[in-house]
Amino acid sequence: MTEIDRRTFLQRLAVSFGVVLTPGTTAAILTGCRPDPGIGRQFFTAAEYLLVGDLVERIIPATDTPGAREAGVPEYVDMLLTHFSDDQVRGEVREQLLALQGWLREHQADRIEHLDPELAETLIAALDQEAFPTAEDGPLPLDGLPGGETPLFRRLKPWTVAGYYTSEVGALQELHQSPMGVYQGDIPFAEVGKTWA
Amino acid sequence: MGVNQWDAIVVGTGMSGGWAMRVLTEAGLKTLALDRGRMVEHGDYPTEHKQPWNMPWRDGRVHPDDRKDYPIQSRTYAFSEYARHWFIKDTDAPYAQDQPFDWIQPDVVGGKALIWGRQSYRWSPMDFEANQRDGHGVDWPIRYEDLEPWYDLVEQTIGVSGARDGIPQLPDGVFQKPMDMNAAEKAARDRIEATFPGRRVIIGRAAVLTEPLDGRAPCHYCGPCMRGCSTGSYYSTQSSALPAARATGNLTLLARKLVHSVTYAEGRATGVRVIDMETGAFEEHTARLVFLCASAPGTVRIMLNSKSPEFPGGIANSSSVLGHYLLNHHARVGAGGEMEGMEDRYWRGNRPNGIYVPRFRNLGGDRRPDYVRGFGMQGGASRSGWARGGSMRGTGAAFKAALRVPGGWRIGLQAYGEVLPYHENYMTLDDELTDKWGMPAVRFHVGRFDNELAMRKDMAATAAEMLEASGARNVTTYNNAEIAPGNTNHEMGGARMGRDPRTSVLNGWNQCHDVPNLFVTDGACMTSSACQNPSLTYMALTARAANYAIDQLKTGTL
Ligand SMILES: Cc1cc2nc3c(=O)[nH]c(=O)nc-3n(C[C@H](O)[C@H](O)[C@H](O)COP(=O)(O)OP(=O)(O)OC[C@H]3O[C@@H](n4cnc5c(N)ncnc54)[C@H](O)[C@@H]3O)c2cc1C
């Protein structure tokens, strides 16, 4: 909900039900719309941060709405690694990123964006297949991937998804939130059109 | 009256204490309400409507440091960054456990009424007769008819939405209009009821308004009630009982006061001893009536700590059953599955309620050889959202587009079972452990026995059988018996009601057999547990007992 939506909602509420909204109450509701206080890069090196940005943007790219990088997913992943992961997970992820940087150098690239576009796509598909294999899969299309007991994307995928769809961009631009003030249990999906955030 | 002299003292301001203070003050009694929690005024809900991206750890994650401070509280589903500030720091209020027991405790005025799941079901005649019929536990001194008018009053006052379903074992009440079911729930209901005559699937009955009531607005369906609701749309002490009690001019409410014990002289409770939690100093308050509403274990703790030459084992404990026959519900057992089709159906708004399957076992012709009593089930269906992307194959624009559309429907049922009254399920005061303020801590001794274990097998199997009948595929069951008792949030017993002062602590008016002006009206009074969520019954019992006490004062009997 934008700030305007919320104000309208509150006014309507106050008028129709005689609800007494103290200034404190209103402020509490409206602070829901304050911008992100911002989280910074604490775990990643500058190079790792760039690489992670490229990877998450490949998982959820900018289309008609912004992608994972603009939605702050690299900072979100950094926050998870800094505060919510143990040393083992931190070590494994760092090793996998290092190995990926090595792989890129072997292919004469600093960044995924510098690879031949087709090779870049194959790389991403291979990382995805490694993490989420299916019965129909052939062997991995590339050699020398970071590997590991928990493949990189098995962590990075859910982190990217959670980071993106709980961001303002993901929740309000890519998806939408249910409006306040109504519950309808059984309506045509066509009336709604998109997943609720 | 002197500074610390009152007509009535109410200990605890949660679900039952809210009702005690409302009824007592409305009758004109100068009432002191005490709570160890900090003051929370209505509207003082800092995370209400906060967007996930405005939370420090994004969407309510529990920080590892909080798990250290709140090792037990953080195990309830309701605990997150959005609601942590309602719970007690376990490191301030430790307790001992002979076997694991999760005691979920609030640390605020309003108690767990601020955090509760709001499911509100009456007990039925069968539930008050159960002990007498099968011989487990002592007979309840009251029957459904005794409580019925008080259920009416409580429902009208707090506002309960629900449908009149006409189910004898789950009596209808005074309801506001029910919330809707979604497409998958309706389909499941129709198929389950057609397959199993005698089993019903109903919309949950919830203390959430669907119509305006006393200056409180109907629900606006933002979803997570436990953050607090500044429109007062769900029942809490703050939204309803506190303003009503304050309006009488008869209420004095003091926060951060830890009630240490009930004082006693010549057959009567004279008042309470209290620790001021800021200064650590002891205070005494006296009153003609004392109501204990500190949650079942909290109340029993105070009673066990109230020692006198007449009652060396705790006040009103001539029977020696104080602390025994602790009850709870056993849950974390059920099934889930996927519903095919209906992909053209969706919902709008976040409904703070689910579906409910009332008890059907061991009544009518449905008899089990392997256990007595029964269980109900809470559940719901929904379409999976973006979170499914975390374990989905795919990347890029196609992946993003796929998540823009919701996934298939999933449905789940979780059973809540009755726990029998056992002498072996008890609590005492620990010999050494105290809380941060020096008050003796509780030691729990609570296990599960054969009746519950046999019931659990049937709970899982039945949930699965019903979901299969509903058309669900890939049905899987769970039976997390290892999750500690207590984690179902419905702790009761310890000062049970009964007809015989030799085997019970309270009479049929929630009045101590031994100490007539001492009343216990929270879950501690329960003689059996039934399987319904219990708070509505605590509120009805409290309203009834408070009215009785007022009458007794008027006639000079008390
Ligand atoms: C997550 C969750 C979901 C729940 N969902 C439901 C549901 O859907 N339906 C339902 O019926 N029930 C539900 N419950 C249970 C419900 O919250 C309790 O049954 C109810 O709150 C108990 O009321 P009470 O008055 O006994 O205790 P509380 O509401 O806990 O109030 C007790 C008060 O006493 C205070 N206190 C304790 N000790 C002392 C002391 N020594 N001195 C001073 N003050 C003290 C506490 O601070 C607290 O404020 C739920 C509980 C939880 C935690």
Side-chain angles (χ1 to χ4, degrees):
Chain A
M1 252 191 168
T2 65
E3 189 134 336
I4 298 300
D5 288 344
R6 281 186 185 206
R7 237 180 230 134
T8 322
F9 166 74
L10 288 170
Q11 275 159 4
R12 210 183 46 194
L13 195 73
V15 172
S16 36
F17 305 110
V19 170
V20 186
L21 292 167
T22 60
T25 310
T26 317
I29 295 183
L30 295 180
T31 47
C33 298
R34 233 188 269 133
D36 192 337
I39 31 176
R41 172 167 67 80
Q42 293 180 49
F43 174 77
F44 291 131
T45 64
E48 287 166 345
Y49 177 77
L50 271 183
L51 178 55
V52 167
D54 289 346
L55 287 169
V56 302
E57 186 69 14
R58 289 276 172 166
I59 295 173
I60 301 182
T63 51
D64 54 340
T65 64
R69 190 173 14 228
E70 192 181 326
V73 170
E75 291 81 356
Y76 174 79
V77 172
D78 188 298
M79 183 268 283
L80 292 184
L81 283 162
T82 307
H83 295 281
F84 293 90
S85 307
D86 58 22
D87 284 341
Q88 195 201 331
V89 171
R90 280 193 276 258
E92 273 173 34
V93 169
R94 180 147 270 154
E95 240 171 70
Q96 288 167 327
L97 294 176
L98 258 176
L100 202 54
Q101 285 165 333
W103 188 94
L104 286 171
R105 267 195 304 278
E106 272 174 35
H107 292 79
Q108 284 77 45
D110 290 341
R111 297 181 56 176
I112 296 175
E113 307 315 303
H114 301 156
L115 290 172
D116 165 74
E118 225 168 276
L119 183 59
E121 290 226 348
T122 311
L123 171 64
I124 299 299
L127 289 168
D128 199 28
Q129 176 181 333
E130 181 189 35
F132 302 98
T134 69
E136 296 92 70
D137 284 334
L140 285 179
L142 290 176
D143 284 336
L145 293 180
E149 215 170 298
T150 306
L152 181 62
F153 269 31
R154 205 173 300 154
R155 292 198 175 103
L156 200 58
K157 177 82 72 80
W159 289 347
T160 304
V161 166
Y164 184 73
Y165 293 103
T166 60
S167 76
E168 193 164 2
V169 161
L172 299 188
Q173 291 187 47
E174 171 59 19
L175 302 182
H176 56 175
Q177 292 178 332
S178 256
M180 285 198 211
V182 60
Y183 178 71
Q184 293 165 300
D186 184 16
I187 55 172
F189 173 65
E191 273 181 27
V192 177
K194 300 201 260 191
T195 307
W196 295 122
Chain B
M1 270 187 289
V3 185
N4 287 347
Q5 283 180 302
W6 313 89
D7 292 328
I9 292 174
V10 176
V11 179
T13 60
M15 204 76 76
S16 47
W19 265 92
M21 68 193 192
R22 163 183 233 143
V23 175
L24 296 170
T25 55
E26 284 178 347
L29 301 194
K30 293 286 173 202
T31 302
L32 173 68
L34 298 163
D35 204 293
R36 73 170 173 193
R38 71 183 162 83
M39 189 61 212
V40 172
E41 291 292 347
H42 185 44
D44 182 10
Y45 308 132
T47 58
E48 186 190 14
H49 299 150
K50 268 246 165 145
Q51 295 284 14
W53 56 90
N54 289 327
M55 294 302 290
W57 311 117
R58 190 69 74 84
D59 209 18
R61 258 168 210 280
V62 178
H63 193 277
D65 289 348
D66 285 339
R67 291 216 189 267
K68 282 185 215 138
D69 291 341
Y70 300 83
I72 291 160
Q73 306 308 311
S74 63
R75 285 191 215 140
T76 166
Y77 72 89
F79 187 95
S80 76
E81 197 74 11
Y82 290 113
R84 183 196 52 197
H85 44 281
W86 306 143
F87 292 90
I88 202 152
K89 227 184 215 176
D90 289 310
T91 45
D92 287 349
Y95 60 87
Q97 307 163 64
D98 289 338
Q99 301 119 300
F101 184 88
D102 286 355
W103 186 14
I104 305 306
Q105 301 180 73
D107 196 19
V108 281
V109 165
K112 293 197 292 285
L114 213 45
I115 344 173
W116 70 314
R118 308 159 306 282
Q119 291 292 301
S120 299
Y121 301 98
R122 291 186 178 204
W123 282 30
S124 71
M126 157 186 89
D127 296 312
F128 291 98
E129 291 160 13
N131 284 6
Q132 193 199 29
R133 286 200 179 174
D134 63 24
H136 294 279
V138 297
D139 188 20
W140 276 88
I142 58 169
R143 289 293 181 262
Y144 178 73
E145 293 68 34
D146 296 310
L147 212 49
E148 193 173 19
W150 304 100
Y151 277 131
D152 289 350
L153 172 75
V154 169
E155 286 160 349
Q156 274 163 338
T157 311
I158 71 174
V160 176
S161 69
R164 298 186 63 82
D165 299 295
I167 300 168
Q169 69 273 29
L170 198 74
D172 288 332
V174 184
F175 296 141
Q176 295 198 340
K177 63 183 184 217
M179 294 178 194
D180 291 347
M181 288 190 191
N182 62 40
E185 290 164 348
K186 287 193 269 189
R189 173 199 59 198
D190 292 347
R191 292 175 196 152
I192 289 170
E193 291 185 352
T195 313
F196 303 103
R199 300 192 194 173
R200 298 287 307 276
V201 179
I202 64 173
I203 187 69
R205 299 173 181 173
V208 178
L209 304 184
T210 50
E211 300 167 37
L213 180 69
D214 295 339
R216 297 163 55 202
C219 181
H220 53 270
Y221 301 102
C222 71
C225 301
M226 79 282 276
R227 298 186 199 174
C229 181
S230 51
T231 64
S233 305
Y234 75 91
Y235 176 78
S236 66
T237 299
Q238 276 81 356
S239 71
S240 174
L242 185 54
R246 274 181 174 159
T248 65
N250 293 323
L251 179 72
T252 301
L253 170 60
L254 300 177
R256 302 292 285 160
K257 301 282 187 187
L258 181 67
V259 174
H260 168 275
S261 50
V262 177
T263 50
Y264 172 87
E266 291 164 13
R268 292 173 65 88
T270 51
V272 290
R273 272 192 103 198
V274 174
I275 303 172
D276 181 295
M277 294 162 78
E278 306 303 333
T279 65
F282 275 97
E283 293 170 7
E284 304 244 347
H285 293 269
T286 61
R288 296 157 73 196
L289 278 181
V290 176
F291 270 69
L292 295 180
C293 303
S295 87
T299 284
V300 175
R301 178 189 185 206
I302 295 168
M303 293 177 80
L304 288 170
N305 203 35
S306 306
K307 298 189 170 115
S308 60
E310 290 85 342
F311 297 113
I315 194 164
N317 191 18
S318 66
S319 64
S320 299
V321 301
L322 183 64
H324 288 271
Y325 303 100
L326 286 185
L327 299 162
N328 59 94
H329 287 146
H330 62 111
R332 299 296 191 94
V333 50
E338 295 158 12
M339 301 272 284
E340 297 219 308
M342 297 171 283
E343 301 210 338
D344 56 341
R345 309 303 295 174
Y346 209 25
W347 62 81
R348 179 178 283 125
N350 299 309
R351 182 189 66 193
N353 191 11
I355 55 174
Y356 190 72
V357 178
R359 179 176 151 187
F360 52 86
R361 285 295 198 218
N362 289 323
L363 54 97
D366 189 330
R367 298 284 155 187
R368 295 289 306 187
D370 49 342
Y371 65 86
V372 297
R373 316 274 172 114
F375 55 88
M377 298 182 193
Q378 294 183 31
S382 59
R383 296 186 69 168
S384 59
W386 52 259
R388 75 189 190 280
S391 54
M392 213 167 95
R393 179 83 168 260
T395 58
F399 178 71
K400 193 179 174 189
L403 294 179
R404 210 178 256 196
V405 177
W409 290 92
R410 284 198 57 83
I411 184 163
L413 288 175
Q414 180 182 194
Y416 279 76
E418 175 155 5
V419 171
L420 293 177
Y422 300 103
H423 190 262
E424 305 89 307
N425 279 347
Y426 63 90
M427 56 174 275
T428 57
L429 296 182
D430 195 74
D431 292 336
E432 282 150 30
L433 195 64
T434 68
D435 64 19
K436 190 178 162 187
W437 300 273
M439 180 168 167
V442 166
R443 171 174 286 276
F444 284 105
H445 186 99
V446 178
R448 288 209 181 98
F449 298 94
D450 291 347
N451 199 65
E452 291 77 54
L453 296 174
M455 193 189 296
R456 293 181 76 79
K457 285 192 193 136
D458 185 42
M459 289 154 101
T462 308
E465 149 191 286
M466 289 169 68
L467 291 187
E468 264 149 22
S470 79
R473 301 265 205 99
N474 298 326
V475 172
T476 54
T477 61
Y478 58 96
N479 181 354
N480 303 329
E482 74 286 357
I483 289 172
N487 205 296
T488 45
N489 305 317
H490 300 163
E491 62 282 352
M492 337 174 193
R496 69 180 177 188
M497 292 165 83
R499 299 176 188 273
D500 184 348
R502 289 168 305 178
T503 56
S504 59
V505 178
L506 306 171
N507 68 15
W509 298 101
N510 294 76
Q511 185 179 26
C512 291
H513 290 297
D514 298 339
V515 185
N517 66 334
L518 179 60
F519 289 77
V520 174
T521 70
D522 59 24
C525 74
M526 302 296 272
T527 312
S528 69
S529 78
C531 63
Q532 297 91 315
N533 311 58
S535 302
L536 189 75
T537 298
Y538 304 167
M539 289 190 265
L541 285 168
T542 304
R544 178 174 174 271
N547 271 281
Y548 171 80
I550 291 158
D551 286 348
Q552 297 291 300
L553 276 186
K554 277 191 199 138
T555 58
T557 323
L558 262 184

